[in-house]
Amino acid sequence: MVVKRDVDILFISSRGAQYRYYQALSAVTHFSSLVVTLFPGFGFKVFNSGLSLGLIRRGIDFHLKRKKRKHSAVKSVTVLWGGYVFFSACYFSLIYLKFKYYFSRNTPKVICIWNGHRLPEMAIRAAAQEFDIRIAYFENGLIPKSTTVDFSGVNAFSSIPRARAFYDRYFLENDCQSLSDTRLLIRKPHKRKLKAGGEEVAGRYVFVPFQVNFDSQVIINSPWLNSMEEFYSVLFSIIELIEEGLTVIIKEHPSDPRSYTELYNKHSRIKFVSGDTETFIRNAEAVITLNSSVGIEAAMLEKKVIVLGNACYSIDGMMKVAQTAEELACAINDMRGWSPDIDIVRAFFTYLKKDYLLPGAWQDQIACVGGAHKLCFENKILEVLS
C-alpha cells in the first residue's frame, strides 16, 4: 500500500552517494520533498498499465548496448545473453510498474533522477511521462566545482543554447571573464588500467582523449564514430594526410577498464601516452574529441578543439566540427588558419557559471549543502513550477 503524500519534488535514486546527496538537498529545500529508492512502497498494477514490448525494447536498448561492450564475452554465449536480456526486460518492467502505481497515488510536480539513460531511469521516465511530471536530470558539472541540473536532459540533450548569436549578445550584456587559469580535476584511474606509453611528448602534437567505450556519450551521442576502435581507425586512415612533424597522441580514459594495447605501436606518429591530462591539453596544437568532457575543458583553457560527435558545447566560433575523415584531416591541416573566438568562449563559460550550473560539486554537498547551491536549485524548480 502506498501512503498518500503530496510533494513538490520527488528525488529518486538507488542507495549510495547520490541518494545521500538527494537526502541532504531534500532536508534544506523549502519545497515539500521526499527521497525514495528505485522500489518505492508496495504493490503494483500489471493490467492496463501501458506496459508493452515496444516500451520495454526502447527502455532497455541503451542498457543492452552498454553491457555488450562492457562484457563482450557474455554476448558470445547465446544462453547467457538471452537470459540477461530477459532479466533486464523484467527489471525494467518492475520499476516501470512500481512507479506507475506510485504516481497514480502520489503525483509530484517534479522528479529528480540521475543522467536519465540508464535502465532504472528509463523506466522511471516512461512512467512519469504518463502523468506529465516534469523531470530534472542531474549530472556532474561541466566545469570544476559545479553540478548540472537540466529539465531537457544532459550532455547533447541539454538546454544549453547552441546558437552563436546567443553568445554574441550575452558577451555584450555581461561581464565575461576568462576561466583559462582554472585547474582541472584529476580523474582516478580504474584499478585494472594499464600504464600506456611514456610521460613526455616532444614536438608538435594534437591530443586525443579516448572516452569510456560503453558510455552513453559514445553509444548515443556519436553518430559516425561509435567506438574507440572506429575513432582510432579514422585517425590511422588520415595520419599520412596531415602535415609532417605533427604527432597524434592518445590518452586512454582513466575510468575505462579496457586497455587498447593492440593499437599502441601500429603507427610511429600515433602514440599512446599516460600522464597529466591538463599538461597535454595546454601544450597541444589542438584537442580532438567525440564529445568528451576533456573537450569542454580544452575550450575553457581557450585551446583549439575539433569535435566529431554531438556535444552540448559544439558552438560555431568556439570550435571546429568534423563529420567525416576528410573534414577531420582538413581541420587539422588548417589549424594555423583558425582560432577560437575568445569572446564566444568567455561568454559560453560565463553563461555556464552564472546562469546554468549549480555552484559546488554535488559530492561536496552531502555533509552540508551550500547556500548558493540550494538557491540555484530552487530557482530552477521555480522556473518550471511557475
Side-chain angles (χ1 to χ4, degrees):
M1 177 179 178
V2 177
V3 178
K4 177 71 174 178
R5 180 174 178 181
D6 293 325
V7 296
D8 294 320
I9 307 170
L10 184 69
F11 297 93
I12 308 169
S13 173
S14 56
R15 293 191 182 276
Q18 292 161 0
Y19 184 85
R20 295 194 299 275
Y21 164 64
Y22 281 161
Q23 285 182 313
L25 197 52
S26 176
V28 298
T29 181
H30 75 263
F31 290 104
S32 61
S33 63
L34 188 65
V35 185
V36 299
T37 65
L38 300 178
F39 296 96
F42 299 95
F44 58 87
K45 181 181 178 182
V46 177
F47 299 106
N48 301 317
S49 65
L51 186 66
S52 66
L53 286 176
L55 180 65
I56 295 171
R57 289 193 187 101
R58 292 191 298 273
I60 67 176
D61 179 63
F62 166 68
H63 175 76
L64 295 179
K65 289 178 179 176
R66 182 175 183 270
K67 291 299 181 181
K68 277 184 178 180
R69 292 195 182 182
K70 192 173 183 181
H71 306 288
S72 56
V74 176
K75 70 177 181 180
S76 62
V77 182
T78 305
V79 174
L80 290 178
W81 181 247
Y84 187 76
V85 172
F86 178 74
F87 168 80
S88 299
C90 292
Y91 187 42
F92 174 91
S93 300
L94 182 58
I95 294 177
Y96 169 84
L97 292 171
K98 294 286 285 186
F99 276 96
K100 188 74 181 291
Y101 183 77
Y102 187 93
F103 292 150
S104 70
R105 288 155 174 76
N106 305 269
T107 308
K109 297 173 183 176
V110 173
I111 64 170
C112 297
I113 61 176
W114 215 266
N115 187 277
H117 292 301
R118 296 173 300 186
L119 184 150
E121 286 75 26
M122 289 293 288
I124 296 165
R125 284 174 57 183
Q129 287 166 1
E130 296 285 332
F131 296 89
D132 293 323
I133 301 170
R134 296 299 304 270
I135 304 173
Y137 300 92
F138 280 69
E139 248 303 347
N140 296 326
L142 295 172
I143 62 176
K145 298 180 181 180
S146 69
T147 302
T148 298
V149 178
D150 196 313
F151 282 87
S152 295
V154 298
N155 299 320
F157 298 97
S158 75
S159 63
I160 295 173
R162 313 292 165 82
R164 175 173 180 159
F166 173 87
Y167 298 101
D168 284 328
R169 291 193 302 272
Y170 195 91
F171 182 82
L172 295 175
E173 297 168 358
N174 296 271
D175 179 21
C176 298
Q177 302 294 320
S178 173
L179 296 183
S180 60
D181 290 335
T182 303
R183 304 304 301 181
L184 304 184
L185 299 175
I186 299 175
R187 299 171 179 84
K188 293 182 179 180
H190 190 277
K191 60 184 179 181
R192 299 209 312 256
K193 178 62 71 175
L194 299 175
K195 190 173 181 178
E199 299 289 339
E200 297 183 1
V201 179
R204 298 172 56 233
Y205 65 85
V206 291
F207 178 47
V208 176
F210 265 13
Q211 296 173 228
V212 178
N213 210 34
F214 50 82
D215 189 75
S216 62
Q217 285 281 69
V218 179
I219 296 174
I220 297 175
N221 293 328
S222 184
W224 73 281
L225 292 178
N226 203 234
S227 69
M228 293 305 99
E229 292 89 346
E230 289 182 14
F231 195 176
Y232 183 90
S233 178
V234 166
L235 294 171
F236 189 87
S237 71
I238 67 169
I239 192 65
E240 299 298 337
L241 302 178
I242 64 177
E243 60 177 292
E244 294 184 13
L246 191 66
T247 302
V248 174
I249 68 165
I250 300 172
K251 181 179 177 181
E252 296 178 18
H253 196 287
S255 299
D256 192 343
R258 181 178 171 190
S259 204
Y260 296 85
T261 52
E262 74 278 9
L263 304 177
Y264 281 8
N265 299 304
K266 292 190 69 175
H267 198 287
S268 60
R269 290 175 61 194
I270 304 177
K271 300 178 180 179
F272 281 79
V273 296
S274 60
D276 180 45
T277 297
E278 182 174 342
T279 300
F280 290 137
I281 293 173
R282 291 188 182 275
N283 295 332
E285 299 276 316
V287 172
I288 303 171
T289 179
L290 301 185
N291 43 34
S292 168
S293 59
V294 177
I296 200 169
E297 290 172 343
M300 183 175 66
L301 301 184
E302 300 180 359
K303 301 292 294 186
K304 298 176 183 179
V305 180
I306 303 172
V307 178
L308 309 182
N310 299 331
C312 63
Y313 53 82
S314 185
I315 313 296
D316 180 37
M318 198 164 85
M319 55 196 59
K320 288 279 189 180
V321 175
Q323 297 182 325
T324 65
E326 293 75 16
E327 289 180 4
L328 176 57
C330 288
I332 295 172
N333 287 329
D334 191 37
M335 283 191 306
R336 297 181 189 273
W338 64 274
S339 295
D341 185 321
I342 299 302
D343 290 352
I344 299 294
V345 172
R346 294 180 181 180
F348 176 79
F349 284 101
T350 302
Y351 166 76
L352 291 186
K353 187 174 183 179
K354 179 181 175 184
D355 298 321
Y356 180 73
L357 296 167
L358 272 59
W362 64 270
Q363 297 93 330
D364 298 332
Q365 314 302 311
I366 295 174
C368 180
V369 178
H373 190 91
K374 168 184 173 291
L375 180 61
C376 286
F377 167 73
E378 291 179 336
N379 285 341
K380 285 182 177 289
I381 299 298
L382 276 174
E383 286 178 13
V384 299
L385 294 188
S386 60

